[in-house]
């Protein structure tokens, strides 16, 4: 298992640190662009959609390379 996860499948302390360092600043930057609740919700939805697309693409790529 990678250094991001414990043997039980949870984020390790290193994983938590990396996720916080990498994601929090970028997501916060996007959310600060919103001027109201509707825009916040749209940005949240777009982030979710993009993450889903990236995960699906990574899974597909790994299957092709296996």
């Amino acid at each position: 298992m990678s250094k991001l996860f414990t043997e039980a499948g949870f984020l390790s302390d290193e994983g938590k640190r990396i996720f916080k360092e990498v994601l929090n600043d970028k997501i916060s930057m996007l959310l600060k662009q919103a001027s109201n609740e509707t825009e916040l919700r749209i940005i949240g939805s777009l982030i979710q959609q993009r993450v889903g697309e990236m995960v699906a693409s990574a899974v597909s790529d790994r299957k092709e390379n296996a």
Side-chain angles (χ1 to χ4, degrees):
M1 203 162 270
S2 76
K3 66 181 179 178
L4 292 177
F5 299 98
T6 65
E7 289 185 20
F10 297 103
L11 278 177
S12 65
D13 288 340
E14 178 73 0
K16 290 175 187 175
R17 183 188 65 75
I18 291 171
F19 266 73
K20 185 176 181 180
E21 286 179 10
V22 173
L23 294 176
N24 283 10
D25 290 342
K26 303 294 183 186
I27 292 171
S28 291
M29 180 196 66
L30 289 170
L31 294 174
K32 287 178 184 175
Q33 302 301 312
S35 59
N36 56 48
E37 182 181 345
T38 300
E39 290 181 1
L40 280 169
R41 291 182 183 279
I42 291 169
I43 292 168
S45 294
L46 293 169
I47 291 168
Q48 289 176 309
Q49 178 183 3
R50 183 66 185 132
V51 169
E53 291 168 352
M54 292 176 74
V55 169
S57 178
V59 169
S60 177
D61 290 347
R62 287 192 181 193
K63 284 183 178 181
E64 288 177 9
N65 293 328

